[in-house]
């Protein structure tokens, strides 16, 4: 299988961290592409009409896309336990959605600040996106530490990748302030080999 990949994408990182956690990182070939909001990579667009990362091309030639679809598929394919059964499944899916939502707002902010000329950037939009991030982090710190302290699942991976993306693109915002429990948890999970192997390049 082939995974269209960019090392800076937190959504891609989710998938690759999962592969490492499952011990299957060597089973999927990473295809690095340069695709932006203004210019889609042609090979990526041919496999995924939305030209969004990540996209997983299966051995039969069909493509899966959206990180949550891909992680669910890989977890099932390799017999993983990253999506528990019963009531815990819905907690895990909600936690994963929270991590992905943080990514959505943080990536939107990065696009606004990195792709638009400075005189065209919409400060109120950037601030509104950060408000969403800050609310989500506060809730994670106040209500989700019991779950995050439990066995690794896709919720853990999504939140870890989201928080690491904040460090990567929005470090000056200091998400750790007032969120000591979550910050301590992230320090621990960020030291896992799967996170170290997928750290994005500086810059």
């Amino acid at each position: 299988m082939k995974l269209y990949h960019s090392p800076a994408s937190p959504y891609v990182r989710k998938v690759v961290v999962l592969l490492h956690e499952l011990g299957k990182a060597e089973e999927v070939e990473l295809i690095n592409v340069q695709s932006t909001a203004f210019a889609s990579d042609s090979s990526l667009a041919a496999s995924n009409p939305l030209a969004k990362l990540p996209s997983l091309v299966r051995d039969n030639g069909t493509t899966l896309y959206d990180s949550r679809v891909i992680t669910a598929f890989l977890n099932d394919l390799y017999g993983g336990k990253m999506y528990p059964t019963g009531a815990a499944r819905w907690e895990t899916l909600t936690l994963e959605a929270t991590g992905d939502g943080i990514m959505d707002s943080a990536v939107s902010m990065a696009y606004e600040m990195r792709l638009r000329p400075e005189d065209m950037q919409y400060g109120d939009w950037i601030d509104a996106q950060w408000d969403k991030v800050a609310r989500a982090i506060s809730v994670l710190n106040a209500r989700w530490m019991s779950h995050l302290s439990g066995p690794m699942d896709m919720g853990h991976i999504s939140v870890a990748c989201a928080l690491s993306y904040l460090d990567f693109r929005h470090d000056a915002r200091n998400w750790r302030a007032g969120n000591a429990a979550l910050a301590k948890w992230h320090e621990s999970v960020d030291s896992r080999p799967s996170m170290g192997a997928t750290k994005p390049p500086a810059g």
Side-chain angles (χ1 to χ4, degrees), residues 11-31:
Y11 307 101
V12 171
R13 191 178 188 186
K14 266 183 61 183
V15 175
V16 183
V17 167
L18 172 65
L19 286 169
H20 279 275
E21 291 288 341
L22 295 176
K24 298 295 183 180
E26 302 303 319
E27 299 293 321
V28 178
E29 180 184 0
L30 302 183
I31 307 297

Side-chain angles (χ1 to χ4, degrees), residues 57 193 195:
V57 182
M195 293 293 288

Side-chain angles (χ1 to χ4, degrees), residues 6 30 35 42 55-56 66-67 71 78-79 87 109 126-127 150 162 174 180 184 187-188:
S6 171
L30 302 183
S35 189
S42 58
S55 294
L56 179 73
D66 186 276
S67 64
T71 54
Y78 294 125
M109 291 170 63
I126 294 171
D127 290 342
N174 190 19
K184 184 177 180 180
E187 182 180 4
S188 174

Side-chain angles (χ1 to χ4, degrees), residues 137 140-141 145 148 159 163 175 179-186:
I137 289 174
L140 289 171
N141 186 74
M145 294 314 303
L148 288 171
V159 170
L163 296 178
W175 66 265
N179 298 293
L182 187 62
K184 184 177 180 180
W185 173 84
H186 179 258

